[in-house]
Amino acid sequence: MMQNAVKKPESGLKFKLGAVVMTRGVGELMKEHGLEPIQYLRRHAFGDWGDLEDEDKAQNEEAVVHGGRIFSAYNLTGMPESRLWVITEADRSVTTFLLPSEY
């Protein structure tokens, strides 16, 4: 078990985010369509895992408690790239915004 991962952050978030970064593709998509990444980061950090199957959501809940990678996916309607991923690493050192095509 990863001790750092199970400590809840003091800000009321479900887990620590670490450094927050995004790929070039996400940056371009956000700018082009006037999207604010903070809305997706907030959803991720507060446990709204987005458009995932129940099993994947349960794995995230387990990862929050016991350590492990946390993965959210948000459908973006009306855009060429129709899905956004937000991934927080198991050690909580970094949270990355990326497109599935960039994985």
Side-chain angles (χ1 to χ4, degrees):
M1 180 168 28
M2 303 172 74
Q3 293 301 321
N4 289 343
V6 297
K7 288 184 180 179
K8 288 193 177 184
E10 298 185 21
S11 61
L13 304 178
K14 287 191 84 149
F15 52 91
K16 293 181 181 183
L17 296 168
V20 178
V21 299
M22 71 176 61
T23 62
R24 180 174 292 143
V26 170
E28 290 170 1
L29 184 75
M30 294 283 170
K31 184 177 179 181
E32 182 178 328
H33 294 281
L35 299 174
E36 293 294 331
I38 191 69
Q39 69 182 337
Y40 301 102
L41 185 63
R42 187 176 293 126
R43 288 176 65 184
H44 177 73
F46 281 96
D48 173 357
W49 314 124
D51 303 294
L52 294 177
E53 299 294 325
D54 289 342
E55 182 179 322
D56 295 322
K57 291 177 181 180
Q59 287 178 350
N60 279 345
E61 294 295 335
E62 191 73 18
V64 167
V65 174
H66 298 291
R69 185 185 77 151
I70 300 171
F71 174 82
S72 294
Y74 305 102
N75 290 334
L76 307 171
T77 56
M79 293 181 212
E81 287 281 354
S82 61
R83 202 153 165 92
L84 173 69
W85 288 353
V86 184
I87 301 172
T88 299
E89 297 301 326
D91 65 1
R92 307 298 185 258
S93 62
V94 66
T95 295
T96 305
F97 283 83
L98 71 155
L99 302 172
S101 62
E102 297 173 311
Y103 188 73

